[in-house]
Each structure stands twice: as structure tokens, then as C-alpha cells.
């Protein structure tokens, strides 16, 4: 039986060789999947690193369906190139 959980996101700066774009250029806005409703006890995070959290005890075999909008705004003075970053999602049970 799962007594709740948190789902967090973290990402690194964007790099292309020695050129960098700060991680703050990316924002994540969590939302319910397909604009549906959330399971009781599940709340969405706001813009930032918390995607969602649950305080409810869950014995469901199906999980919560979540979605998110990602917005990336590159600085106008960023050098052209192929930039890379790592996005990590971490699910922590309570």
C-alpha cells in the first residue's frame, strides 16, 4: 500500500561545447493528462520543480495520469548550436 508520493523534476543547464544556456530558460507547468480530473488526494505543483504530489493512501493498480507543458526561452544572444541538457524525474514514495 502506497501512502502517498511526490513527483519532482530537475534539469541541468543546456550546453553546446563551451556555450551554455541556463537551466532557468526551461519552465515546466504541470497539468492533468488530457485536461481530465486528478485522482482524489493528488495535487499539481506550480511552475517549478514539483510536478505533483499525493497525500492519499492508494491501493489502485492504475496510476495517476499527469501531463506538463514545457516552455523553453533561449536568450537572444545565445550562440547557434545543438544544446544538450538532462531532465530527471524523481518519484518518491512516502
Amino acid at each position: 500500500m502506497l501512502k502517498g508520493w511526490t513527483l519532482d523534476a530537475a534539469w541541468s543547464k543546456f550546453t553546446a561545447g563551451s556555450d551554455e544556456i541556463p537551466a532557468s530558460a526551461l519552465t515546466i507547468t504541470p497539468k492533468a493528462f488530457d485536461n481530465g480530473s486528478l485522482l482524489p488526494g493528488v495535487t499539481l505543483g506550480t511552475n517549478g520543480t514539483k510536478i505533483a504530489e499525493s497525500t492519499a493512501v492508494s491501493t489502485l493498480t492504475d496510476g495517476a495520469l499527469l501531463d506538463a507543458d514545457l516552455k523553453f526561452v533561449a536568450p537572444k544572444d545565445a550562440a547557434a548550436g545543438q544544446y544538450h541538457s538532462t531532465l530527471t524525474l524523481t518519484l518518491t514514495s512516502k
Side-chain angles (χ1 to χ4, degrees):
M1 183 170 357
L2 189 59
K3 296 182 180 183
W5 47 265
T6 57
L7 179 62
D8 296 302
W11 54 97
S12 61
K13 62 188 171 190
F14 295 80
T15 60
S18 62
D19 294 322
E20 297 180 356
I21 296 174
S24 60
L26 177 68
T27 57
I28 297 178
T29 305
K31 62 183 181 180
F33 179 74
D34 203 22
N35 292 317
S37 56
L38 296 170
L39 294 174
V42 175
T43 55
L44 293 175
T46 57
N47 290 354
T49 60
K50 184 168 296 300
I51 301 298
E53 112 178 276
S54 168
T55 57
V57 173
S58 176
T59 57
L60 298 174
T61 55
D62 295 333
L65 294 176
L66 304 170
D67 199 352
D69 289 328
L70 281 72
K71 181 179 179 182
F72 180 79
V73 179
K76 61 182 173 182
D77 60 347
Q82 186 174 19
Y83 288 78
H84 299 273
S85 176
T86 299
L87 171 64
T88 303
L89 297 176
T90 303
L91 178 66
T92 305
S93 64
K94 296 180 182 177

